[in-house]
Amino acid sequence: MSLFERALANVVSQATGDYASIAQNDPVVISGEDGTTRGDYLDLLQEAQRKERKKLWDQVYRLEEEQKQRVFSSNNDENPMNKVETDASRKKLATLMYQYSDLEREVAAERGRFGEECENRPEDTILEIEFREQLDQQIQQYNQAIDFLKEDLRNVKETLKLEKKALSECTELYTALKAKEKEIIEENNLAREVNPDQLRESQAILENMFKNDQDDLIDFLDEYYPPHPVDESTGILDAESDLKNILEDLMNKALGTPEDPYIELVPGTYWTPYIQTLVKANILKFHPEDSKMVRLEDFR
């Protein structure tokens, strides 16, 4: 038996000797994910790996038993067929050992990764605190939304109250206008029924009243606002400004051409205090762009 065969025999014997304790007693890792869906899935992966390791250990054990019977316990039988079978068994044994070594590395890597995830996974207390914070934030947002809706509801109620008040005022105004319209219609109907002779008499009365008022106005102006010398001399001796003439010109302009009721204040034809008196009494109004143009106020 060569040195390699002895070493291989010792490795196989030691491996089969530890078979009972290694193949049947897997290390147990306590994790925070026990009982969860992910933990159950990892348990299934470990169970599949355990079965695969057990299968490999069983094959190693069988090969060791075969080697004992065919190679190491046959007094170095030189039968060529036995030698061929021994070489094939050695190759198969080496392949199984490499497979076992790769499987062990994969198991170690999976355990390391699983251990890191367990270490990095936050505790249930931290998760509960984060959940409570999120819940408090949502409750605070809902309370703010409720306050905003309440304020909006108050504004809507105030607006509705004002709208109802405006509607009531419009209704009253509409009722008053309808009554006024009815009154005007009735007056017009009565006016159509009036005798023409009565209309002429009324017109004569109005004209007489107008003439009397005009005479009273002229007498008032002659007494309190007599003619006064003009501001500037134009070469004409005794040139005077008569207030009633100014008012007459303004009234004729307002009645004759209401679209252009302005008259021009020609220098040397008026006395300034009279013009200022009419302006202060809200009878006269200057042109907005020309201070030499004046007109009567609109008394409508």
Side-chain angles (χ1 to χ4, degrees), residues 2-219:
S2 64
L3 182 61
F4 174 76
E5 291 175 346
R6 291 192 185 93
L8 185 61
N10 291 332
V11 171
V12 173
S13 298
Q14 184 178 358
T16 53
D18 297 337
Y19 170 75
S21 60
I22 295 176
Q24 297 179 1
N25 299 324
D26 290 334
V28 178
V29 178
I30 299 175
S31 171
E33 294 192 4
D34 291 342
T36 62
T37 303
R38 175 179 171 81
D40 294 340
Y41 178 71
L42 292 175
D43 291 340
L44 292 176
L45 291 178
Q46 288 184 347
E47 181 65 20
Q49 293 174 353
R50 188 186 67 76
K51 290 181 180 180
E52 184 67 20
R53 290 198 307 274
K54 185 175 183 305
K55 182 179 179 181
L56 291 175
W57 278 110
D58 290 341
Q59 291 181 359
V60 172
Y61 182 78
R62 287 197 301 270
L63 287 175
E64 196 273 342
E65 292 296 329
E66 290 177 359
Q67 292 299 327
K68 285 182 178 180
Q69 293 177 1
R70 297 179 181 178
V71 181
F72 302 111
S73 301
S74 62
N75 296 321
N76 296 326
D77 189 1
E78 297 297 334
N79 189 351
M81 295 300 296
N82 293 336
K83 186 175 182 179
V84 172
E85 292 179 358
T86 300
D87 293 338
S89 298
R90 288 176 179 177
K91 291 180 180 180
K92 188 173 182 180
L93 178 60
T95 302
L96 292 174
M97 291 180 69
Y98 281 121
Q99 291 178 355
Y100 175 76
S101 178
D102 292 337
L103 183 61
E104 284 292 329
R105 285 195 295 272
E106 292 179 0
V107 171
E110 183 68 20
R111 285 177 177 174
R113 185 178 65 82
F114 179 73
E116 291 178 359
E117 291 182 356
C118 291
E119 292 177 358
N120 296 330
R121 183 178 180 273
E123 298 181 358
D124 293 339
T125 305
I126 297 176
L127 294 176
E128 183 179 357
I129 293 173
E130 292 178 353
F131 175 75
R132 288 180 178 273
E133 290 180 352
Q134 294 178 358
L135 187 60
D136 291 339
Q137 291 178 358
Q138 292 180 355
I139 292 174
Q140 185 177 2
Q141 292 175 357
Y142 291 148
N143 290 332
Q144 292 177 355
I146 291 172
D147 294 338
F148 175 77
L149 291 176
K150 288 181 178 179
E151 182 66 22
D152 194 13
L153 181 60
R154 284 194 293 268
N155 294 334
V156 171
K157 287 182 178 179
E158 291 294 332
T159 304
L160 181 60
K161 184 178 180 181
L162 295 176
E163 292 293 337
K164 287 182 177 179
K165 183 178 179 182
L167 179 60
S168 177
E169 293 176 353
C170 291
T171 303
E172 294 177 359
L173 181 61
Y174 176 77
T175 304
L177 290 175
K178 289 294 290 184
K180 187 65 176 178
E181 180 185 11
K182 183 178 180 181
E183 181 181 352
I184 292 173
I185 292 174
E186 292 177 354
E187 290 178 356
N188 291 333
N189 292 332
L190 291 175
R192 293 191 187 97
E193 298 175 358
V194 174
N195 193 337
D197 294 335
Q198 294 178 353
L199 291 177
R200 283 193 292 270
E201 291 178 0
S202 298
Q203 183 178 2
I205 294 173
L206 291 175
E207 290 177 354
N208 189 25
M209 291 175 60
F210 176 75
K211 186 175 182 305
N212 292 332
D213 291 339
Q214 189 175 13
D215 293 338
D216 292 339
L217 177 61
I218 292 173
D219 294 338

Side-chain angles (χ1 to χ4, degrees), residues 170-288:
C170 291
T171 303
E172 294 177 359
L173 181 61
Y174 176 77
T175 304
L177 290 175
K178 289 294 290 184
K180 187 65 176 178
E181 180 185 11
K182 183 178 180 181
E183 181 181 352
I184 292 173
I185 292 174
E186 292 177 354
E187 290 178 356
N188 291 333
N189 292 332
L190 291 175
R192 293 191 187 97
E193 298 175 358
V194 174
N195 193 337
D197 294 335
Q198 294 178 353
L199 291 177
R200 283 193 292 270
E201 291 178 0
S202 298
Q203 183 178 2
I205 294 173
L206 291 175
E207 290 177 354
N208 189 25
M209 291 175 60
F210 176 75
K211 186 175 182 305
N212 292 332
D213 291 339
Q214 189 175 13
D215 293 338
D216 292 339
L217 177 61
I218 292 173
D219 294 338
F220 175 80
L221 292 175
D222 288 338
E223 182 178 358
Y224 294 99
Y225 297 95
H228 193 279
V230 298
D231 291 340
E232 301 177 3
S233 177
T234 58
I236 302 175
L237 298 178
D238 300 331
E240 294 180 340
S241 173
D242 195 346
L243 184 58
K244 62 177 177 292
N245 293 334
I246 297 174
L247 290 175
E248 184 179 0
D249 293 339
L250 290 170
M251 288 188 290
N252 291 334
K253 191 68 173 176
L255 294 175
T257 57
E259 69 279 0
D260 184 22
Y262 290 93
I263 64 172
E264 183 179 0
L265 295 176
V266 180
T269 61
Y270 64 91
W271 187 45
T272 303
Y274 280 170
I275 302 299
Q276 293 176 353
T277 300
L278 295 176
V279 172
K280 291 180 179 179
N282 293 325
I283 297 174
L284 198 67
K285 184 175 182 180
F286 284 100
H287 193 281

